[in-house]
Amino acid sequence: MEGGYTIKEGIEIARRLEATGKIDYISTDLGAADILHMNLPPSSIPPGYALEFIANVKSEVKLPVIAFGRINDPVQAESILEEGKADLIGMARALIADPELPVKAREGRLEDIRACVACNQGCVWRVFARLPITCIQNPAAGRERELGIGSLKPAAVKKRVVVVGGGPGGLKTAEIAALRGHRVTLFERLGELGGQVNIASRIPSREELSGIVRYLTYRLEKLGVDVRLNVEADVEVIKGEEPDVVVVATGSTPTVPQIPGAENLVDVASVLRGEAKVGDKVLLLDLDGHWAAAGTAEYLVERGKEVTIVTPLMYVGVDIDFPSLIPLYRKFYEKGVNMLPNTMVKEVKGETVICADVYSGREKTIEGIDTIVAAAGGKANDQLFKSLKGLFREVYAVGSCVAPRRIEMAIYEGEMVGRKI
Ligand SMILES: Cc1cc2nc3c(=O)[nH]c(=O)nc-3n(C[C@H](O)[C@H](O)[C@H](O)COP(=O)(O)OP(=O)(O)OC[C@H]3O[C@@H](n4cnc5c(N)ncnc54)[C@H](O)[C@@H]3O)c2cc1C
Ligand SMILES: Cc1cc2nc3c(=O)[nH]c(=O)nc-3n(C[C@H](O)[C@H](O)[C@H](O)COP(=O)(O)O)c2cc1C
Ligand code: SF4
């Protein structure tokens, strides 16, 4: 239909399908190419966003109606049924993140559920990239034969394991090692677990990432992992534990690019932690293509800053899935964020930033910038790993201390090392 069809027309279609007598149930959905965030809702779209529409369908037909969309919690699912808004609950990503959700719900083990955080990274992004799906929290997704339910075996020899670093990589290693019966101690130099995920989840659209840390922290408590906060583990601290195995998960430190004349240059992590002094007119240099850059821009515009994003990449957020980009771009356009793709910063002279496009080299100046914020990736914190080699029988490294990457690889490598030791 030209221009698509409205919700009213959708309900009429449902009624006519029902009238054919050939349909057993109505499975609801919303969306179209330009509103993909309604079909594959990212974490910026609130849970239950489609319920009014679903309840409307339900009130107009007699066939059973299936609800859909950001339903990842059995309590929420039950209340939808109790309120008569639907007859059945559809869950897609909730079951990719935790295929055992229905069993855990039936047994009342709600805290054991690894809830989907609607990051759209392993599932939706990879579908668009024509890759097999994965899940950032569940390494078994897409690898069911190798890592699926029933594949984790108790360790033949119970070992004394020390994990250094309480980011997602260290947390996952500790969980799997403890599940297999090892005695695990985890050192974290800060006063809280979570590593860089605690920074990433300060981005307004990405607050739900904190669920990854909440779940793994709960698992470690339940499995009796000895977590020692505010301890910077060095060779002596680790030797004191007399470990059989050491797993280093010390993450990465942000890098800041060298730009001639750039004095007020800070990294995204220090901005999100609230440590960096940021003026009113900000230039955000995006060498990242993912949420570290675009998400920090969102954080800054929500605080009333005037933001220009400069990136040598094809567009801002090239590594972000389209359903997440649509509401983010809406916000950027509404708040007047200036985006300059295919452009690099060359030099800074006072409050003037000299840029050049990456294809012709043609220069462009931006005036009145008081702060430059860079999302330029990180450098692996691998010193501890290097100094431990040869001192203990088994030493492994997982996550961003191997090479700075994203949460999925930290969790995947934690799972694999946890299974190996
Ligand atoms: C702004 C920002 C946004 C991001 N957004 C996303 C996103 O949307 N999606 C995504 O997938 N990834 C994102 N990332 C990247 C992601 O957070 C990292 O890939 C991930 O946290 C790496 O996990 P890790 O466990 O390897 O290391 P980290 O998370 O860096 O954790 C390492 C931990 O080790 C501790 N530590 C270090 N040395 C010691 C020591 N000697 N003793 C004790 N403790 C020590 C540190 O304090 C830290 O807690 C983002 C990163 C940033 C900065
Ligand atoms: C990996 C993946 C593949 C999907 N494939 C389709 C599809 O082929 N057709 C479709 O209409 N919806 C598809 N969807 C959308 C889901 O049916 C569902 O509407 C959406 O994921 C929102 O529900 P959820 O919050 O329970 O994940 C897909 C979703 C995911 C995560
Ligand atoms: S990758 Fe993210 S959105 Fe997809 S199922 Fe896993 S947690 Fe949910």
Side-chain angles (χ1 to χ4, degrees):
M1 283 168 79
E2 198 177 334
Y5 59 86
T6 63
I7 287 179
K8 213 171 140 203
E9 287 158 345
I11 292 171
E12 182 56 28
I13 292 170
R15 268 213 300 255
R16 291 195 192 182
L17 284 170
E18 182 176 54
T20 66
K22 293 181 177 168
I23 304 291
D24 293 322
Y25 58 85
I26 307 280
S27 180
T28 56
D29 213 330
L30 283 173
D34 57 342
I35 50 164
L36 272 173
H37 58 298
M38 291 286 105
N39 181 228
L40 297 154
S43 53
S44 54
I45 305 297
Y49 71 100
L51 284 177
E52 201 185 316
F53 149 70
I54 295 161
N56 273 337
V57 176
K58 164 98 180 109
S59 67
E60 297 289 336
V61 295
K62 292 190 185 60
L63 285 173
V65 170
I66 306 181
F68 92 104
R70 286 274 270 140
I71 304 169
N72 66 354
D73 168 9
V75 176
Q76 172 202 11
E78 202 57 44
S79 71
I80 294 168
L81 298 179
E82 275 167 12
E83 288 164 19
K85 290 180 174 158
D87 303 290
L88 292 151
I89 302 294
M91 292 178 170
R93 293 167 299 171
L95 299 183
I96 297 174
D98 191 347
E100 292 179 279
L101 181 151
V103 175
K104 291 175 180 173
R106 193 175 55 213
E107 293 172 357
R109 295 191 287 127
L110 298 185
E111 283 183 313
D112 285 339
I113 293 171
R114 186 174 45 225
C116 166
V117 294
C119 69
N120 278 359
Q121 286 182 222
C123 51
V124 173
W125 187 87
R126 289 176 63 94
V127 168
F128 281 94
R130 297 179 188 276
L131 294 167
I133 67 156
T134 59
C135 170
I136 69 164
Q137 291 194 81
N138 176 17
R143 304 183 187 93
E144 286 77 6
R145 195 173 301 151
E146 183 193 356
L147 304 177
I149 297 165
S151 65
L152 194 69
K153 303 285 180 244
V157 180
K158 308 287 187 251
K159 296 177 184 168
R160 177 91 189 79
V161 178
V162 163
V163 178
V164 183
L171 293 174
K172 191 70 190 176
T173 311
E175 183 204 22
I176 299 297
L179 260 177
R180 294 185 55 234
H182 295 306
R183 194 151 63 89
V184 184
T185 299
L186 182 143
F187 290 107
E188 168 53 53
R189 76 169 158 211
L190 300 179
E192 59 177 3
L193 295 174
Q196 293 178 62
V197 179
N198 295 338
I199 303 170
S201 57
R202 291 185 188 184
I203 293 167
S205 290
R206 306 290 278 178
E207 282 169 12
E208 222 164 308
L209 287 177
S210 60
I212 298 173
V213 177
R214 215 170 26 250
Y215 172 77
L216 287 170
T217 303
Y218 160 75
R219 295 288 292 157
L220 265 50
E221 273 168 28
K222 192 171 174 185
L223 291 163
V225 172
D226 177 9
V227 174
R228 310 225 193 124
L229 298 177
N230 298 306
V231 182
E232 171 124 19
D234 57 15
V235 173
E236 291 315 311
V237 169
I238 297 167
K239 272 187 180 165
E241 299 298 316
E242 298 180 9
D244 303 304
V245 182
V246 184
V247 183
V248 180
T250 45
S252 59
T253 310
T255 45
V256 180
Q258 297 298 312
I259 298 171
E263 280 161 20
N264 289 342
L265 204 155
V266 292
D267 66 84
V268 285
S270 61
V271 170
L272 292 167
R273 277 197 299 256
E275 291 166 4
K277 198 166 167 288
V278 181
D280 289 332
K281 288 188 81 175
V282 180
L283 184 143
L284 203 145
L285 176 59
D286 172 9
L287 305 179
D288 162 65
H290 202 241
W291 281 99
T296 305
E298 185 193 18
Y299 174 93
L300 289 170
V301 290
E302 291 216 344
R303 281 157 183 77
K305 309 290 182 189
E306 203 179 306
V307 179
T308 297
I309 309 177
V310 172
T311 181
L313 301 166
M314 284 283 183
Y315 59 91
V316 173
V318 279
D319 268 359
I320 297 177
D321 61 287
F322 294 128
S324 295
L325 269 188
I326 292 169
L328 186 68
Y329 265 48
R330 265 194 193 162
K331 194 179 279 182
F332 283 174
Y333 277 92
E334 277 164 18
K335 303 254 183 194
V337 172
N338 181 20
M339 290 186 266
L340 293 177
N342 305 310
T343 304
M344 192 53 196
V345 173
K346 277 181 78 177
E347 194 183 351
V348 181
K349 287 183 180 162
E351 293 199 339
T352 302
V353 180
I354 301 158
C355 301
D357 83 67
V358 293
Y359 296 109
S360 73
R362 195 178 305 122
E363 287 191 358
K364 178 184 173 73
T365 56
I366 306 169
E367 307 286 350
I369 296 294
D370 45 38
T371 313
I372 300 181
V373 179
K379 187 178 173 311
N381 292 333
D382 55 7
Q383 307 87 332
L384 181 68
F385 175 68
K386 285 178 179 160
S387 63
L388 292 176
K389 284 201 105 178
L391 294 182
F392 301 93
R393 218 174 313 140
E394 287 182 70
V395 183
Y396 302 94
V398 302
S400 286
C401 72
V402 177
R405 287 154 299 157
R406 300 201 178 121
I407 298 165
E408 179 168 346
M409 287 317 291
I411 288 187
Y412 171 74
E413 289 170 4
E415 168 100 26
M416 297 314 278
V417 167
R419 283 173 179 256
K420 188 173 174 185
I421 55 187

